[in-house]
Amino acid sequence: QSVLTQPHSLSGTPGQRVTISCSGSNSNVGSNFVYWYRQLPGMAPQLLIYRNSERPSGVPDRFSGSKSGTSASLAINGLRSEDEADYFCATWDDSLSGGVLFGGGTSLTVL
Amino acid sequence: QITLKESGPTLVEPTQTLTLTCNFSGFSLRRSGAGVGWIRQPPGKALEWLSVIYWNGDRRYSPSLKSRITITKDTSNSQVVLTIANMDPVDTATYFCVHTAQYFDYLWWNPWGQGTLVTVSS
């Protein structure tokens, strides 16, 4: 069980806006940047959002990230069939046993 | 275009040492800020960051695995090698080699290799 909590699965229809949440605590999400990765079926993960809301070059502006307190969110506007994938959040944990943390992942289905 | 590819054994016996090699292209570990790391993903479980080595030789390890992991680089041959001692069935995972251009940003990994599945079993 990951320290960062994500919904196990979500679904949406084409064109819809979906939001994936990532909940943590003061020692991780609350005090550090959050990153988001997407893993298409059978593929390696790819960086989607870094430092809460920045997009690497090549990532469409349909994807956006935000953070408030100890929770972060990834929003996908104009959902497409190719967005069907697993999405992971990641952050740093400042506790003694901390370090890099990944969320358990959210499986997004496009109906 | 940056590419990375992992290689190594697919099956390791408990207590053995795992050695994985990452061969990369499209960048040099002589370039300031460049780094290569390792992340693993047990079947059906969350990703876990393991280690990173930078162009200047600086290296970092996951606190939970620090006693068992070693990372080295061969800059001339564009290779990074990860060894994990005393392997256990819980170490069964897909191991990814990853690139970073962000020195000391342990969360910025782009791109990733395709990954290699390592099973620990007798």
Side-chain angles (χ1 to χ4, degrees):
Chain A
Q1 185 111 9
S2 177
V3 174
L4 301 180
T5 302
Q6 297 181 237
H8 181 70
S9 61
L10 277 177
S11 63
T13 56
Q16 190 178 6
R17 171 185 167 96
V18 295
T19 301
I20 300 171
S21 61
C22 175
S23 179
S25 65
N26 288 327
S27 67
N28 42 68
V29 175
S31 53
N32 292 287
F33 288 123
V34 175
Y35 293 59
W36 290 91
Y37 287 87
R38 175 176 69 176
Q39 187 172 26
L40 297 169
M43 305 287 285
Q46 62 177 129
L47 182 63
L48 209 55
I49 297 289
Y50 66 99
R51 296 173 196 163
N52 297 338
S53 59
E54 301 295 320
R55 285 186 306 275
S57 60
V59 174
D61 59 6
R62 299 190 297 110
F63 296 90
S64 62
S66 63
K67 192 185 89 167
S68 178
T70 59
S71 290
S73 296
L74 171 71
I76 308 173
N77 288 309
L79 195 63
R80 300 180 179 181
S81 58
E82 58 260 37
D83 295 330
E84 188 161 293
D86 292 330
Y87 293 82
F88 299 89
C89 61
T91 190
W92 182 266
D93 191 289
D94 294 328
S95 64
L96 283 176
S97 60
V100 175
L101 293 178
F102 284 95
T106 298
S107 179
L108 176 63
T109 300
V110 180
L111 301 171
Chain B
Q1 180 189 3
I2 293 173
T3 63
L4 309 100
K5 187 170 184 178
E6 309 84 354
S7 61
T10 58
L11 180 64
V12 174
E13 293 187 0
T15 75
Q16 284 188 333
T17 295
L18 171 68
T19 299
L20 292 174
T21 300
C22 175
N23 287 282
F24 59 85
S25 63
F27 71 99
S28 171
L29 267 180
R30 291 188 178 91
R31 181 172 182 173
S32 177
V36 173
W38 290 89
I39 294 171
R40 70 180 180 183
Q41 185 175 32
K45 295 187 178 180
L47 295 160
E48 180 183 16
W49 176 77
L50 302 178
S51 181
V52 60
I53 189 165
Y54 293 103
W55 87 100
N56 59 0
D58 194 8
R59 61 199 77 188
R60 294 289 184 266
Y61 298 108
S62 164
S64 63
L65 290 163
K66 187 174 182 179
S67 63
R68 298 171 52 208
I69 285 183
T70 303
I71 191 169
T72 59
K73 63 181 175 76
D74 181 347
T75 303
S76 299
N77 290 311
S78 297
Q79 286 185 337
V80 168
V81 175
L82 178 78
T83 61
I84 305 178
N86 194 24
M87 291 289 283
D88 183 272
V90 300
D91 296 314
T92 294
T94 296
Y95 287 76
F96 296 99
C97 174
V98 292
H99 163 265
T100 184
Q102 307 291 321
Y103 187 36
F104 270 159
D105 187 337
Y106 303 131
L107 296 160
W108 198 105
W109 307 108
N110 194 33
W112 296 44
Q114 65 188 23
T116 185
L117 176 61
V118 178
T119 301
V120 184
S121 175
S122 55

